[in-house]
Amino acid sequence: MTEPRLAPMTPDRLDTEQRRLYDAVLESPRGQGATRRMILRDDGTLTGPFDAWLRTPGVGIHLERAGMALRTDTVLPAAAREVAVLVVAKAWSADFEWWVHGMVARQHGVSDAEIDAIGHRRDPGFADAACQAAHDVAVELVHERGVRSETLATAREALGERAVVEVVTQVGFYQLVSGILE
């Protein structure tokens, strides 16, 4: 992973609004269990986009909530969600996002071979239709800036319309995150 361009903000430097965001991140599901080690450094500073968002906490709190909603308030299967995020992370060369979401993808049954294929911008040929649909929609959005009618029809069949919209939203959100991480 690359070094952060911003000096991490230590908890003792946070104002009230920044502390509210900091606490929200650590109290969320991503701040619990093993994933806590991925977002919290030993010195108490946050990793990923969270540290950058501390500099704009009014916006950051909404982005943190949106990110959690995209994980918890969705019909999109978790493995398919992670596949879409990995496509974005690879396209943006977002090492942190690739590393974190690769670990999460594995927890949800995405194989190392499938992750490796995404990492080499090859079609993984998922047996799971939902993962394949999420992959194909994400690849077209990121690389072609649109989704072909045939891809959309296949994705609707595999995922349903709501989940297709959620894939598109995931791609947009994680491009924003990847831009912050850049």
Side-chain angles (χ1 to χ4, degrees), residues 2-3 5 10 17 19 29 31 41 45-46 48 54 66 79 82 109 141 146 150-151 154-155 163 176 182:
T2 59
E3 289 296 315
R5 292 183 180 191
T10 57
E17 195 176 17
R19 189 63 196 212
R41 294 183 187 97
T45 60
L46 297 175
L54 288 171
E82 296 306 321
L141 279 172
E150 316 83 70
T151 304
T154 301
L176 177 148
E182 181 57 27

Side-chain angles (χ1 to χ4, degrees), residues 70-137:
L70 288 169
R71 280 182 64 185
T72 61
D73 300 338
T74 178
V75 297
L76 184 63
R81 175 191 70 227
E82 296 306 321
V83 164
V85 174
L86 287 173
V87 168
V88 173
K90 180 59 183 176
W92 278 78
S93 300
D95 295 341
F96 177 84
E97 216 62 43
W98 178 260
W99 174 68
V100 169
H101 287 275
M103 291 174 55
V104 176
R106 285 179 190 88
Q107 292 171 353
H108 291 291
V110 180
S111 72
D112 286 335
E114 292 162 335
I115 293 169
D116 184 64
I118 294 168
H120 287 93
R121 295 189 175 145
R122 294 189 315 261
D123 184 342
F126 289 100
D128 181 327
C131 285
Q132 187 67 50
H135 173 270
D136 295 347
V137 167

Side-chain angles (χ1 to χ4, degrees), residues 4-87:
R5 292 183 180 191
L6 302 170
M9 293 185 73
T10 57
D12 62 315
R13 290 184 43 216
L14 304 180
D15 65 26
T16 303
E17 195 176 17
Q18 292 167 327
R19 189 63 196 212
R20 191 177 96 206
L21 172 57
Y22 179 91
D23 291 343
V25 169
L26 294 181
E27 291 168 5
S28 75
R30 73 168 64 82
Q32 308 305 307
T35 57
R36 185 179 184 96
R37 291 190 312 263
M38 290 185 252
I39 64 166
L40 185 65
R41 294 183 187 97
D42 290 341
D43 65 359
T45 60
L46 297 175
T47 64
F50 311 110
D51 181 70
W53 291 346
L54 288 171
R55 286 147 178 88
T56 179
V59 172
I61 195 78
H62 295 293
L63 293 171
E64 190 280 329
R65 288 177 186 150
M68 281 312 305
L70 288 169
R71 280 182 64 185
T72 61
D73 300 338
T74 178
V75 297
L76 184 63
R81 175 191 70 227
E82 296 306 321
V83 164
V85 174
L86 287 173
V87 168

